[in-house]
Amino acid sequence: MNPTAAPAPAAESGTAPVDARVPARRLLPLAAQHVLAMIAAPVSTVFLTAGTLRLAPGTTASLLSAVLILCGAGALLQSLGVWRIGARLPFVMLPGGAATALFLQIAQDHGTPTAAGSVLLAAALLIAVLPLYVRVVRLFPPLVMGVTVLLIGIAMIRVAARLVTGPDGEGEPRAVLLAGLTVAATVGAYVLLRGVWRQTAILTGMAAGVLLAVVTGLGTFAPAPGSGFSLPALLPYGTPVFDVLAALPLLVFSLTTLAEITGQTVLNSETVGRTPDPGRDVPRVARADALVSLVGGLFGTSLMVTSAENIGIGRLTGVRSRFVTAGAGALLIGVGLATPVSRALAGIPEAVVGGSSLVVYAVIAVMGVEMLRRAELSGTGTGTMVAALALAAGLLPLLTPGLYDGFPGWARTILGSGVVAGTLTAVLLTALLGRFDRRFDRRFDRRDGPRDGTRVAEPEERQYGGASTQQDDVRT
């Protein structure tokens, strides 16, 4: 534990730190830290959704209330657990940035009712495949996950840019300038702030962007009317439409989340001192995600996903208790019900939202690159070829939107989505070409060298195809 961190609360005799209760006088500030660290994600996601779908201010305020309430309910469910729903670990829940990207893609291509129906289908699929968890998670190694996340980030950078330029792609200079200033403010906050405040860089950048818009006249800040407390609107887009083909991007994504949930659950368990048990805890985390997402689909949100990004706060403070994130969940519900807060936030200019979203989704693209780096693409394996062809399949519909216009509707739906085309290509090629890797590996004994008497290539030779500068290692 960090020697400068605050001492952890004394646990009752025989009580694990993760199950220790925190005194009320400390619970509120500790919970508020978690809210500050994660609130930028739901706020920026809602504004990206509202700007892309051209939602009215009142609808935007209702959607923000729904997202904040669901984030709070998800944090409570994961932290406290009910039956076999929720892992009883200090998790928070957020609207998935990648899931929101796919939700918006479906909404633009097939309409918002179909997008809402796709969320419900994806959440139901996640629940249905949990008995097959071990088999499904093997389909999405780091290589496949990296391709998927990178393609999502690239696709959403284009969508975020349209918030600045408008649907015609020809932005006004003042909107572009305001977005640029918002990005600069976000970068400045990230560089200058420290600790938990650094994690609010996106929110700080948005606040600075709004202030600049009002002071300089580059934009207008017009909060939606309303006061007091109110519940978010049910079915804001009308009755959901269920179209399995249109929902494919979110269906595929819901399966990929199992791999991410596994890593986050193991990391969180190790952080709080609990022995990791993915077979028990991952399905519990996924059930909570799916349940909250089902409710979210009825209130106009995309898939909600559990996040481990607040683990850093636990390490900084030395507090491992899951009751702290439960307190954060209660605070989020209160903020979501406070209508003046959500309606004020709904008045942020689109160019400010666009600038913040560019940063958020560029980071998602970089996360995809990091996942690909962990996939060990160098060497004699087929990973490089799989990644290359999968990225080509995913980028083609992004760079040439009319490429599949002459194909049947079902083919356009599958091939025309860069995320679906790239992910399916990666899954299929990993399964097919992976067999050749295994056959190649069986020719070698890790201790005695190749069974056919040939020389083992040095690492430099495998990577560059030339002779090693080091002394050859000949084994028979």
Side-chain angles (χ1 to χ4, degrees):
M1 181 170 53
N2 189 337
T4 62
E12 300 174 5
S13 177
T15 302
V18 68
D19 298 319
R21 296 184 178 274
V22 179
R25 66 180 182 278
R26 294 192 60 204
L27 182 62
L28 182 59
L30 289 171
Q33 283 188 117
H34 284 275
V35 172
L36 286 174
M38 56 80 66
I39 198 169
V43 170
S44 59
T45 299
V46 169
F47 293 143
L48 176 62
T49 301
T52 303
L53 302 181
R54 308 294 173 185
L55 300 181
T59 305
T60 303
S62 174
L63 183 61
L64 180 59
S65 293
V67 168
L68 292 175
I69 291 172
L70 289 170
C71 286
L76 282 168
L77 193 57
Q78 294 288 19
S79 302
L80 302 180
V82 177
W83 189 53
R84 289 189 292 176
I85 303 175
R88 297 188 177 182
L89 287 168
F91 276 124
V92 295
M93 190 171 288
L94 301 170
T100 300
L102 300 177
F103 174 85
L104 295 177
Q105 176 187 327
I106 296 171
Q108 290 181 314
D109 294 341
H110 305 279
T112 49
T114 302
S118 299
V119 173
L120 299 176
L121 288 173
L125 176 64
L126 183 58
I127 294 176
V129 302
L130 285 179
L132 304 174
Y133 157 68
V134 175
R135 295 183 180 179
V136 173
V137 78
R138 291 175 181 170
L139 296 174
F140 302 98
L143 190 154
V144 176
M145 289 290 293
V147 168
T148 301
V149 174
L150 177 57
L151 289 172
I152 289 172
I154 293 173
M156 284 315 296
I157 288 173
R158 186 178 66 171
V159 173
R162 290 297 177 92
L163 291 176
V164 180
T165 64
D168 57 1
E170 298 179 0
E172 296 183 3
R174 66 174 187 170
V176 176
L177 178 59
L178 181 57
L181 291 173
T182 302
V183 172
T186 303
V187 173
Y190 185 80
V191 171
L192 298 176
L193 298 179
R194 293 291 182 270
V196 65
W197 296 104
R198 189 180 195 182
Q199 298 180 29
T200 67
I202 297 293
L203 198 60
T204 302
M206 292 181 71
V210 172
L211 181 61
L212 288 170
V214 174
V215 172
T216 63
L218 294 174
T220 58
F221 176 63
S227 60
F229 292 83
S230 65
L231 294 175
L234 184 67
L235 300 178
Y237 312 128
T239 304
V241 174
F242 299 100
D243 185 334
V244 174
L245 283 178
L248 268 178
L250 274 178
L251 294 177
V252 172
F253 177 80
S254 69
L255 298 179
T256 68
T257 59
L258 286 174
E260 185 176 0
I261 289 172
T262 301
Q264 291 179 339
T265 302
V266 170
L267 175 63
N268 206 347
S269 298
E270 292 177 344
T271 301
V272 300
R274 177 190 290 182
T275 301
D277 188 351
R280 177 197 65 196
D281 292 336
V282 171
R284 292 180 176 181
V285 174
R287 287 189 194 101
D289 283 2
L291 178 61
V292 176
S293 294
L294 281 171
V295 178
L298 300 176
F299 287 94
T301 76
S302 183
L303 291 175
M304 305 293 292
V305 297
T306 292
S307 173
E309 66 179 24
N310 286 38
I311 288 178
I313 298 178
R315 291 177 175 175
L316 179 68
T317 62
V319 179
R320 302 175 180 179
S321 173
R322 56 191 173 92
F323 293 101
V324 173
T325 48
L331 286 178
L332 285 167
I333 292 176
V335 173
L337 291 173
T339 304
V341 175
S342 59
R343 291 185 177 269
L345 294 174
I348 295 179
E350 284 188 1
V352 173
V353 178
S356 296
S357 300
L358 284 172
V359 177
V360 171
Y361 293 113
V363 169
I364 288 179
V366 173
M367 289 171 59
V369 174
E370 284 292 312
M371 291 178 181
L372 286 174
R373 184 181 62 83
R374 293 198 299 270
E376 299 180 358
L377 299 182
S378 61
T380 59
T382 58
T384 300
M385 184 62 69
V386 171
L389 293 178
L391 287 174
L395 290 174
L396 276 173
L398 294 176
L399 301 176
T400 313
L403 181 63
Y404 302 111
D405 285 351
F407 285 64
W410 64 268
R412 289 199 306 271
T413 300
I414 296 174
L415 300 176
S417 168
V419 176
V420 172
T423 302
L424 291 181
T425 300
V427 170
L428 292 175
L429 290 180
T430 298
L432 293 174
L433 299 184
R435 295 182 179 180
F436 292 95
D437 277 348
R438 287 191 291 272
R439 289 178 184 175
F440 181 80
D441 289 341
R442 281 197 293 269
R443 295 174 57 205
F444 292 83
D445 182 279
R446 293 184 178 179
R447 182 179 58 187
D448 298 328
R451 298 176 181 176
D452 58 5
T454 57
R455 183 175 65 86
V456 178
E458 288 293 320
E460 292 84 357
E461 288 185 67
R462 297 184 196 141
Q463 183 171 0
Y464 303 112
S468 172
T469 57
Q470 301 177 4
Q471 183 178 358
D472 288 342
D473 181 13
V474 181
R475 300 191 181 111
T476 59

